[in-house]
Amino acid sequence: MNIIKVGLKFSSIKYPSIDIHNYQLYKYHSDYGNLLKGLKIGTSLLPNQYEIVPSKLKGFLIEQLKQDQQILKKPKEVLFVGRSNVGKSSLINAILGQKVAQTSSKTGSTLRLQFHNIQTINGYVVDSPGYGYSQINVDAQKYMQGMIYTYAKLSSRLSRIYVLIDIEHGIKDKDKVMLNMLQEQNVNIQIVLTKCDKIKERMLYDRQLYLAREIKQFKNIHPIIHTVSTKDNFGINDIQYSLIDSFLVHQSRQLLNMEDRLIKLIQARNRPQKLDLNKLTKQFKKGLQLPTDQNSLVHTKKPKHQLS
């Protein structure tokens, strides 16, 4: 990775990445950037291997763990998460250069984990349902939020999580709750500030600086924060380079006791527990500690009959 430092004299908007340690702006480049020319979306797998709903997550993770014990070089996966209407699907389409993720004006239109295969680098970009406000029913929303967290906790192929924050609205309490839970999962987290076209150019750096200082408090955060706009493609090249590095430079997180995990998954319930983000947010605002093992598939089913 090559990073070019720049000053703040004029046209600073040309440099969309900011370092949370020294607050300097950067133009992000990757040594593997030439691979951008070869990005392609795979279409050879069955649809249910690309789109995972809560009820299919258990089987998907079991199959993944089985495969990973048999292959030398497992594929890597990069997860995109964020509040509803933060622009995840639009950003993925802009990064990959074609419309592969469904976009909609209806808040919360993504209802499953969507896996997009980049054939040239043996990796998957994973789009996820938005957390927070949604126009779907509350019960289904809790299951999907549980699915996101369970996948982030148990996937053996995850190499990075991109957490998207709307730069205009900033880090909301639900973002803080999600970051608090994800930072405990032994995987690198990188922040992406979206919709920067809504911020005046002269105000952009001040906004980046303010949010960088907030983000710095969390653990396992990548030092470079990306700022993007899919409306005018601002910052898209930077995050493309970052994505390439996520696949080719950074290792997937190490999960211990893989066989034990597989056994527990086989014994687990068929879909993740509900994750009530509203309840957790209220606890967070009161200063109460969030549970570190909230919503995992790894809870065995209760026996129908129990001997006394």
Side-chain angles (χ1 to χ4, degrees):
M1 175 184 71
N2 298 323
I3 297 179
I4 302 173
K5 296 183 180 181
V6 300
L8 300 174
K9 294 182 179 179
F10 61 93
S11 299
S12 59
I13 197 170
K14 294 180 180 179
Y15 305 96
S17 301
I18 186 170
D19 191 310
I20 63 174
H21 297 309
N22 58 27
Y23 306 123
Q24 288 186 296
L25 295 178
Y26 293 104
K27 183 69 177 174
Y28 190 105
H29 287 282
S30 168
D31 294 333
Y32 297 93
N34 61 327
L35 287 173
L36 287 172
K37 299 176 182 178
L39 288 181
K40 294 180 180 179
I41 305 302
T43 56
S44 58
L45 299 182
L46 297 175
N48 65 351
Q49 291 178 282
Y50 274 96
E51 299 185 350
I52 306 299
V53 296
S55 61
K56 300 292 184 181
L57 183 62
K58 172 184 171 180
F60 173 78
L61 290 172
I62 290 174
E63 188 63 29
Q64 189 183 78
L65 283 171
K66 287 181 178 178
Q67 291 176 1
D68 290 350
Q69 294 182 69
Q70 299 171 359
I71 57 180
L72 293 176
K73 190 176 181 180
K74 62 184 179 183
K76 293 180 183 177
E77 296 169 355
V78 170
L79 174 66
F80 283 73
V81 303
R83 292 198 313 270
S84 301
N85 204 33
V86 76
K88 292 184 305 300
S89 299
S90 296
L91 179 58
I92 289 172
N93 290 337
I95 291 171
L96 300 179
Q98 48 187 303
K99 191 172 182 179
V100 295
Q102 181 182 0
T103 59
S104 173
S105 58
K106 182 180 179 180
T107 303
S109 60
T110 303
L111 303 177
R112 50 186 58 88
L113 293 175
Q114 298 177 338
F115 291 74
H116 305 293
N117 180 215
I118 304 178
Q119 295 175 325
T120 52
I121 50 180
N122 192 29
Y124 291 84
V125 171
V126 186
D127 190 10
S128 66
Y131 56 82
Y133 173 77
S134 177
Q135 295 181 19
I136 63 172
N137 74 73
V138 175
D139 207 46
Q141 187 178 359
K142 290 177 183 177
Y143 273 122
M144 285 190 291
Q145 289 169 172
M147 174 178 66
I148 296 169
Y149 179 71
T150 300
Y151 166 76
K153 182 173 182 176
L154 297 179
S155 173
S156 60
R157 299 179 179 180
L158 200 58
S159 64
R160 181 170 292 178
I161 301 175
Y162 287 96
V163 177
L164 277 57
I165 304 291
D166 187 322
I167 193 171
E168 185 179 25
H169 299 294
I171 304 174
K172 299 294 187 181
D173 287 330
K174 287 181 180 177
D175 295 317
K176 293 177 182 178
V177 170
M178 186 61 73
L179 283 168
N180 268 283
M181 298 176 71
L182 293 177
Q183 70 180 357
E184 304 297 333
Q185 305 313 316
N186 190 32
V187 63
N188 186 258
I189 300 168
Q190 188 155 24
I191 305 298
V192 182
L193 305 177
T194 63
K195 303 185 179 182
C196 71
D197 53 277
K198 295 185 177 181
I199 303 294
K200 293 181 180 179
E201 180 175 344
R202 60 185 175 82
M203 300 292 294
L204 182 60
Y205 177 69
D206 289 340
R207 194 67 181 150
Q208 289 172 302
L209 184 62
Y210 174 80
L211 293 174
R213 286 170 174 161
E214 268 199 289
I215 290 163
K216 192 176 180 178
Q217 65 181 296
F218 296 99
K219 298 185 295 184
N220 290 327
I221 298 291
H222 192 284
I224 302 301
I225 297 175
H226 294 296
T227 308
V228 300
S229 167
T230 57
K231 186 176 181 180
D232 52 18
N233 279 336
F234 174 71
I236 299 303
N237 283 340
D238 281 49
I239 198 169
Q240 284 175 326
Y241 290 133
S242 173
L243 187 67
I244 293 291
D245 283 345
S246 298
F247 287 123
L248 299 182
V249 178
H250 301 281
Q251 298 297 318
S252 300
R253 52 102 172 270
Q254 297 298 314
L255 295 177
L256 302 177
N257 304 319
M258 296 290 282
E259 291 185 1
D260 290 342
R261 285 177 176 270
L262 183 57
I263 292 172
K264 288 180 179 180
L265 269 174
I266 292 172
Q267 297 174 340
R269 63 189 75 219
N270 287 328
R271 60 179 176 179
Q273 297 180 57
K274 300 174 186 178
L275 175 60
D276 191 340
L277 204 57
N278 289 327
K279 181 179 178 181
L280 292 175
T281 301
K282 290 178 182 178
Q283 293 178 9
F284 175 79
K285 291 171 73 174
K286 291 179 180 178
L288 300 177
Q289 187 175 0
L290 297 175
T292 56
D293 60 348
Q294 176 74 22
N295 284 76
S296 171
L297 277 171
V298 186
H299 292 290
T300 54
K301 299 175 182 177
K302 292 182 180 179
K304 293 182 179 178
H305 303 285
Q306 186 172 355
L307 297 176
S308 56

